[in-house]
Amino acid sequence: MKTIAVTNRKGGVGKSTMSSHLAVGLAYKGYNVALVDTDSQGNAGLMLGIGQEDGLFDLLIEKKPLDDVVKYVPKENYGSADVSGNLLLIPSSDRTYQIPYMLKSDESFLFLEKLEEFGANANLDYIVIDTNPSLSLFDGSVYLAADAFVYVTECEMLSLQGVQRAFEQLKNFGKQRRRYLQRESKILGIIPNKFRAKTIIHQENIKKLIGAFGDLVWDPVVLRTIWTECSNIYQPVFLAAPDSAASKQAWDIVNRAEKELLEWQKTEEI
């Protein structure tokens, strides 16, 4: 099992959209997948038609068993009955923001332990974490639990300037994983989001991003109204607009993530 955190310190860049589509796409491909929402806005659950619930808070603070907080996402919410993989959700809501203040000092690894228990019980192939944009004491627990990171950024200069700083932070967490867990972590890639293809400044910013990070930069996701329309009806573009250009781009992200993960897993087996 691999755990992938979709991350950025800035809100509104499209993390929930990308994380939910990544989870859905992997389930389409036949994997057993869980989406874990660590943001008190609860958008991941909304995107899958489940809604907002304090599942993560109940799991970590109230110490409820996994069976009481995990939600099975009906296949009709994101695809059809012939989708071979399963999609599960640990939702979040208003009380999620309290988690950093209520975890005990000796519970730094509790989130990791619960994800590992979840993965074993549900026979999961992948866990996708929709991360919280604000800095909190809980971030360390989330990043220690993550095997891989996908960084989502807007194509504006202020957003791009934060990428290098974020990468340094992720590398530092990678060092902590090696120290405390003897495990490696990997940055899978950067997704430039809300790209306006006809805007010269966006074109220039993408070139600068590629110049700095090379092949880690995935194809930019074009800003399209269909993304908002699908969010408003709580459906992924795969279901609401399967023949759209947005759906094709979403599949490109899923396929790229799968390719990177499988190649990484092969190197670990050598």
Side-chain angles (χ1 to χ4, degrees):
M1 184 189 75
K2 291 292 186 186
T3 299
I4 308 112
V6 180
T7 186
N8 189 325
R9 294 289 190 205
K10 187 175 182 296
V13 300
K15 291 192 305 297
S16 295
T17 298
M18 295 301 131
S19 59
S20 59
H21 279 80
L22 177 57
V24 165
L26 289 171
Y28 263 88
K29 283 177 165 286
Y31 298 104
N32 292 327
V33 186
L35 180 60
V36 178
D37 193 351
T38 67
D39 186 353
S40 59
Q41 295 179 81
N43 288 334
L46 291 174
M47 291 287 293
L48 298 176
I50 296 296
Q52 300 164 311
E53 295 184 28
D54 284 310
L56 187 63
F57 179 90
D58 290 342
L59 177 69
L60 299 179
I61 304 303
E62 299 292 343
K63 303 299 189 287
K64 291 186 178 180
L66 278 161
D67 287 346
D68 289 355
V69 303
V70 172
K71 304 297 178 183
Y72 177 82
V73 183
K75 293 185 178 181
E76 60 267 23
N77 285 24
Y78 60 92
S80 60
D82 59 358
V83 174
S84 55
N86 294 308
L87 182 56
L88 305 173
L89 170 73
I90 296 181
S92 280
S93 192
D94 294 340
R95 300 193 75 186
T96 301
Y97 85 92
Q98 299 177 12
I99 291 174
Y101 308 103
M102 299 183 71
L103 276 178
K104 297 177 182 177
S105 59
D106 61 350
E107 292 181 325
S108 300
F109 294 96
L110 179 62
F111 183 63
L112 171 63
E113 292 167 357
K114 289 299 181 182
L115 292 191
E116 290 181 337
E117 179 186 352
F118 187 16
N121 292 350
N123 193 29
L124 295 175
D125 297 295
Y126 297 110
I127 293 177
V128 179
I129 304 175
D130 183 19
T131 62
N132 178 24
S134 60
L135 185 65
S136 79
L137 297 173
F138 186 49
D139 289 346
S141 296
V142 173
Y143 290 160
L144 281 174
D147 300 301
F149 298 92
V150 174
Y151 192 88
V152 183
T153 181
E154 291 181 308
C155 300
E156 308 297 336
M157 184 52 68
L158 289 178
S159 294
L160 298 182
Q161 287 175 343
V163 177
Q164 184 63 55
R165 185 167 61 255
F167 266 47
E168 292 304 318
Q169 292 172 340
L170 296 181
K171 288 178 181 177
N172 287 334
F173 278 112
K175 292 177 182 177
Q176 292 184 41
R177 276 176 61 88
R178 286 192 294 273
R179 178 181 178 184
Y180 294 111
L181 304 175
Q182 291 76 54
R183 300 182 192 175
E184 294 294 325
S185 61
K186 180 181 179 66
I187 298 172
L188 289 186
I190 304 167
I191 302 176
N193 195 24
K194 302 181 183 180
F195 176 60
R196 295 194 293 274
K198 295 182 179 180
T199 304
I200 293 176
I201 191 66
H202 275 202
Q203 296 174 15
E204 292 298 320
N205 286 343
I206 293 295
K207 289 179 182 178
K208 291 177 182 177
L209 193 63
I210 294 173
F213 297 101
D215 291 340
L216 281 175
V217 182
W218 296 3
D219 291 340
V221 177
V222 176
L223 180 66
R224 302 181 193 276
T225 306
I226 189 65
W227 289 109
T228 302
E229 292 173 345
C230 291
S231 296
N232 286 345
I233 60 173
Y234 307 134
Q235 290 184 2
V237 294
F238 305 133
L239 179 62
D243 298 322
S244 66
S247 181
K248 180 183 181 302
Q249 287 206 295
W251 275 120
D252 288 343
I253 290 169
V254 174
N255 292 334
R256 178 70 181 268
E258 181 189 35
K259 176 177 177 290
E260 298 287 345
L261 288 163
L262 291 177
E263 288 180 353
W264 184 26
Q265 287 170 275
K266 284 180 182 178
T267 61
E268 290 183 323
E269 294 169 359
I270 297 174

